[in-house]
């Protein structure tokens, strides 16, 4: 089988698992209160060039939901892209766990919020008590469309957040992939741009389960421990998360793994282009490739045990009846051999047409 | 340092960590949908001698909260012992995550609900819309007091649950410790007694993070996947939990580890008795020892880097001004050498008095 | 001043207020448990030709929110028209008070859900745990656009509800206006079509504050008293609602008042047409008139103290820069003289152009 | 029949109903935005000798729940007397509508929180994330036990609130009864003592439905409109509440009505004492009388159609097997003739013994 379904189909990098073994014995304080926990929090601070508050949670959905809960107000509405994970993939967890927030969607090409539309939308929300009020903005980096906001694009969103006094959240489930793509520092991609809260995901990039909420203003973090605990997201043996992050950050492993995934994704795109087997929706900027394939090719790949997702066609997207939008995802675990094999299957199909 | 603070201060058993390494490579379906996940679910079925629905969650608090959410009704009140974890240690998570439940406490000796008081309490809740209505009963096995409900005692609670049509939940954060103590089967301690929902905890007994909600009537489980997902408790790389349970159940490791912890707890109790250094509140039935020590002894042990908790004095409990209630917990990781060393410190203190 | 802003700007009909005086003295059981309360509930049954459960609540928003709460499931999504009151005018109350529901919008002309789009939308919601699941359908009768679903149009929606096992809710804030418009019986417009839950509004049609949830299947009403009480919507002196409904239904007052409002709205439309002062968006079917006026006319009317709302332009609606969409609402209190005066102002403006 | 069941069994005072008639015709802005609404808000300001924010809601339960919601924090716990309405009579509405709060009870004689116990309880809540944190204090004035906190007693509670930075809420469902009892000004009984939020109830004292949240610091009121609307508690025809308050405050009607109720309650107590038919639990301080009657007397009164509540025996209260605790409530509507008749029945029963 060839696996391109999702980066969460891969397991954990050996260094991550090894770190768990290293830290397994002996005693440590539970609930994020041990030396290792604190060392990892300091490590986050070094990485972000700033004293930050770090809170582990169980899932990316939890990170998003609880980060938004922290700033949620009665009648509050979060602005997000219509394809955002918090909109389409979290079963209402942000609304449920915040106890109050709703989400309004804003369109934009390439999975990114269009700043013009965002500003117009926020302006139209005049705080009328019947309609509710704008409460926060959430962007996804890298996006669900496999694209990456440029620093200037983040600036444009952040300017609106600032103008209207709205906290700005970044869903960083694929943070490392975006970072490697932009070739900038974590600080440059976040708080230096105006990001207030970050969902920092490492699970998709080689960890077992390592998700954290990072708050860039520690003075505003005092409610968060209660928000996390009442949502049943406070791990007792927190060192099992710390051990993962410890290895993840060591020797820049995290960047290396994201680099692999991004590079392989580019290779997949090249293979498709070279074999002329489908049309890429866009040049991949992170580790996801979206391509329109003939349905006959899809059937052929399925038959050959190539695993990938057939993707729902977005609104206003032109597609022929005998075509299918597909998503291929590369992970740290995907190899050049996998791509070579895929490439061969594409070529074979071209030959047999 | 000598560690008796809590079983969540220990890390993971080597077999658990090894299993993670074994299952780290290759691809598997996320979200509890892979072969290993399914195999572990079947294993649960074998262990409980019944087809069961198993749902992994991140914490014991999540297991309790979501199990109760499943049966929660508007105006619903859960009956639990006043020392129950859901009452004193979960920051309101069961109330919050259920969106509606409240908890009413029932007293009883030794950390166990008194059946007479429970029946009277439930009878007094006549469904009046102002007061709310009885909705479920929750017991903890082993209890927070280190005791274990006998099968007959569970029967007595279950009879009340049945009489009033109330679902019966068991908080099994220390399920294995209770099981080993009773020397019965998992089925005998649960659904054969009338338990409907079980929080099955393995974290305290040698896992990193392995908690599951077990539902004994699969036909009533259909809402649970949504309850879990909207609470942000659905792990993507679920095999990291399955891998732990796989090792946990293999060769009866789980029972062996619980047996160690219980035995060591008994040894701690013996050491205290033999050295006449304090008075045991009760004979430990699981892995927790509650003892009243002279404050001078507490100070002495603290000085010698013995780690344990000073416990809040329960209501109606007689204690002298120069005494302190203390809790010692044994885990799979605690050794006979640890107890011997503790014993020596107790003896030394006796000698120096 | 000439008032066409909204039907909730009018006070109460004298018969309603008189009934309050009639029932003010003496004692009666509180909390909807007195003879008058029960008599009114029976009256509802006669009107709907069926034994129904009736629950008073404080506002139309409460009626909608609690009716939907009754059938709400974890991960549940309510389908409603994008202009529905529950979508744009309730500050998230349905989501908040249900504790779990989200709302997805379906488009359709004239403020009505398009059955084809609805079916497609529901079909696309395959119960995936990440996306959530379809949970209920809500229609508004009369709609926020001043239109009325025909019985056949309700049938078309109800067929989809039935096919997918979804409860069907009707927001009847202007129930009487729709009923008078369709010239059918209350039963024919509701449960005979497949409506399960009705928000029955009387406030906009001449009462002070009289809103009720009507459940057509009494066997499914048992949770509702708790849902209402925990939402703080259980009135103590419930007779003050009953007294209003008693007068409202007596001698068909409610139908007479709605007839007045609808007729006057038609007169307003005629006045606009005859004076050629604006273009009607559509022929009014209830008591609301939507018209595109030249901005200069809007300014002129404002100057003359004519009170009406400038309405937000809907998506995909063509309007010139110097035009403004406006809403005029007639109530039981609006008179032919008011319309004549308006008509004269429109004529004057035409003359002065 | 003789009615002493509750003050919510009485209807409305003629002046209240008349005011509704007076204000019924004509048009006014909905949603608390009309001149009458504003005039009443100013009237509240005069009465409380301070600029206050006033928000109408539908029920006393709503007032309590939403006032507490305003100050609620994650993991927050409200301290209240174990007999408080928010504890025993609101079906969990404060917990539900706040989305997060729990309530912990504090004992104290005569239905009043014991300041010593309160301080100890708050001190014991050290903000531990597992246990949650103290968030607010709520007292009831007059209490559910028919007693009234003296100004000094309020001071004692307020001192604790201040020491721990906890907002202080007063449930004033029977505010006027307490005020008349203390013979002080509204300001002296509230913000001058340190009350931050008041549930101002008028329904029990002669209105149909007139409840308001009064916030003494207007600068902290900005979230409240959203809190109220999302809880579906924003009345459209708000003048129907304003009209009631307008009459309620005019010519000190409210104080007169409360004075009647309190006086009659004292008369009831006298009748019981003089006829030696039962033992009063305490001298009534407001409009409620608690008395222990022989069960044979209870039966006799029931037979004579005297309506009153048999009250649940509080914990630690000594009562003989053939006795029953009973509650008699006087309202503005209760007359001297009612008491005379009751007195006669008590005498008759004494004679027949």
């Amino acid at each position: 089988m060839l696996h391109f379904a999702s980066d969460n189909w891969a397991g954990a990098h050996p260094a991550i698992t090894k770190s768990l073994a290293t830290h397994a014995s002996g005693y440590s304080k539970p609930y994020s209160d041990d030396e290792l926990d604190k060392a990892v929090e300091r490590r986050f601070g070094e990485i972000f060039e700033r004293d930050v508050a770090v809170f582990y949670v169980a899932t990316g959905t939890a990170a998003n939901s609880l980060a938004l809960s922290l700033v949620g107000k009665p009648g509050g509405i979060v602005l997000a892209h219509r394809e955002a994970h918090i909109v389409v993939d979290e079963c209402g967890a942000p609304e449920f766990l915040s106890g109050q927030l709703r989400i309004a969607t804003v369109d934009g090409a390439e999975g990114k919020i269009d700043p013009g539309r965002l500003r117009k939308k926020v302006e139209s929300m005049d705080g009328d008590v019947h309609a509710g009020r704008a409460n926060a903005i959430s962007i996804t980096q890298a996006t669900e469309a496999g694209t990456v906001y440029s620093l200037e694009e983040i600036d444009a969103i952040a300017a609106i957040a600032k103008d209207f006094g709205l906290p700005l959240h970044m869903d960083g489930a694929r943070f490392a992939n975006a970072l490697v793509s932009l070739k900038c520092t974590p600080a440059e991609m976040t708080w230096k741009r105006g990001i207030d809260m970050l969902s920092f995901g490492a699970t998709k990039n080689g960890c077992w389960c390592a998700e954290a909420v990072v708050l860039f203003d520690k003075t505003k973090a005092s409610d968060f421990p209660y928000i996390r605990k009442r949502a049943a997201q406070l791990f007792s043996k927190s060192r099992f998360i710390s051990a993962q992050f410890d290895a993840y950050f060591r020797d820049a492993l995290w960047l290396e793994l994201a680099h692999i995934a991004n590079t392989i994704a580019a290779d997949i795109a090249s293979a498709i282009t070279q074999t002329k087997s489908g049309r890429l929706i866009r040049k991949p900027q992170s580790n996801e490739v979206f391509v329109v394939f003939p349905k006959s090719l899809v059937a052929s790949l399925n038959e050959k045990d190539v695993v990938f997702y057939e993707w729902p066609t977005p609104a206003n997207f032109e597609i022929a009846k005998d075509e299918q939008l597909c998503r291929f995802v590369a992970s740290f675990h995907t190899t050049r051999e996998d791509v070579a094999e895929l490439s061969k299957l594409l070529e074979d199909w071209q030959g047999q047409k």
Side-chain angles (χ1 to χ4, degrees), chain A:
Chain A
M1 291 180 84
L2 279 177
H3 284 277
F4 303 102
S6 182
D7 30 15
N8 60 27
W9 284 55
H13 187 272
I16 300 299
T17 303
K18 192 181 164 196
S19 184
L20 283 170
T22 305
H23 291 287
S25 68
Y27 295 90
S28 67
K29 277 194 199 164
Y31 303 120
S32 293
D33 207 23
D34 200 63
E35 279 315 306
L36 180 63
D37 301 321
K38 289 171 185 168
V40 167
E41 184 161 10
R42 285 192 300 273
R43 190 79 187 89
F44 267 96
E46 290 164 19
I47 283 168
F48 282 98
E49 305 170 45
R50 176 180 184 133
D51 207 20
V52 295
V54 178
F55 298 93
Y56 304 155
V57 293
T59 64
T61 295
N64 292 336
S65 300
L66 301 189
L68 292 170
S69 296
L70 181 68
V71 298
K73 292 180 179 177
I77 295 171
V78 176
L79 286 304
H81 192 273
R82 74 150 73 190
E83 294 168 19
H85 203 265
I86 60 171
V87 174
V88 298
D89 275 322
E90 303 192 346
C91 197
E95 294 92 335
F96 178 71
L97 290 174
S98 65
Q100 49 192 18
L101 293 170
R102 285 179 292 162
I103 305 177
T105 59
V106 182
D107 267 347
E110 312 259 297
K112 301 178 196 170
I113 292 176
D114 178 88
R117 291 185 186 189
L118 175 63
R119 183 174 290 275
K120 207 169 156 190
K121 181 92 176 183
V122 176
E123 277 170 354
S124 77
M125 302 168 81
D126 57 359
D128 169 73
V129 78
H130 304 277
R133 53 181 164 174
N135 191 146
I137 299 170
S138 178
I139 62 174
T140 309
Q141 180 79 323
T143 75
E144 300 292 320
T147 55
V148 175
Y149 284 89
S150 70
L151 297 188
E152 294 70 28
E153 285 171 332
I154 302 177
D155 281 340
I157 304 288
I160 298 165
K162 195 178 171 193
D163 285 354
F164 292 91
L166 303 175
L168 183 53
H169 167 252
M170 178 181 278
D171 175 354
R174 294 190 177 93
F175 187 84
N177 301 95
L179 196 68
V180 164
S181 178
L182 287 185
K183 297 191 179 92
C184 68
T185 67
E188 282 165 1
M189 199 168 83
T190 56
W191 64 270
K192 287 189 175 176
R193 299 268 84 66
I195 302 294
D196 298 295
M197 310 162 288
L198 169 67
S199 299
F200 185 91
T203 306
K204 288 183 197 290
N205 191 35
C207 288
W208 275 121
C209 165
E211 304 288 323
V213 172
V214 179
L215 303 177
F216 294 110
D217 183 349
K218 285 189 84 160
T219 66
K220 293 183 180 162
S222 63
D223 279 349
F224 204 88
Y226 299 97
I227 286 174
R228 178 173 59 173
K229 176 63 191 177
R230 75 164 181 189
Q233 294 277 348
L234 176 60
F235 287 116
S236 55
K237 294 185 177 176
S238 46
R239 68 168 125 161
F240 95 93
I241 306 288
S242 291
Q244 293 179 71
F245 276 126
D246 188 53
Y248 189 65
F249 290 139
R250 194 168 299 275
D251 302 328
L253 176 66
W254 66 308
L255 302 178
E256 181 192 329
L257 299 185
H259 184 72
I260 291 172
N262 286 9
T263 304
I264 297 283
D267 291 349
I268 294 170
S270 294
I272 291 167
T273 305
Q274 283 166 20
T275 57
K276 295 179 182 165
S277 48
R279 55 189 168 99
L280 294 173
I281 297 310
R282 63 186 73 93
K283 191 169 151 35
Q285 295 176 299
S286 59
N287 63 326
E288 298 188 303
V289 180
F290 289 86
V291 58
V292 175
F293 272 156
K295 284 190 174 173
S296 56
L297 172 53
V298 171
S300 169
L301 293 174
N302 286 340
E303 208 170 280
K304 307 287 187 187
D305 284 342
V306 183
V307 186
F308 58 94
Y309 279 124
E310 300 182 17
W311 210 245
T313 313
N316 307 322
F317 185 82
E318 297 285 324
I319 193 160
K321 278 206 167 173
D322 59 351
E323 290 181 331
Q324 174 63 49
L325 179 59
C326 302
R327 189 188 76 164
F328 286 69
V329 183
S331 77
F332 78 95
H333 202 48
T334 326
T335 61
R336 283 170 184 266
E337 289 69 34
D338 294 338
V339 181
E341 206 167 329
L342 172 66
S343 192
K344 186 160 184 321
L345 291 171
L346 296 176
E347 273 168 24
D348 290 352
W349 177 79
Q350 283 289 24
Q352 289 159 13
K353 263 201 316 191

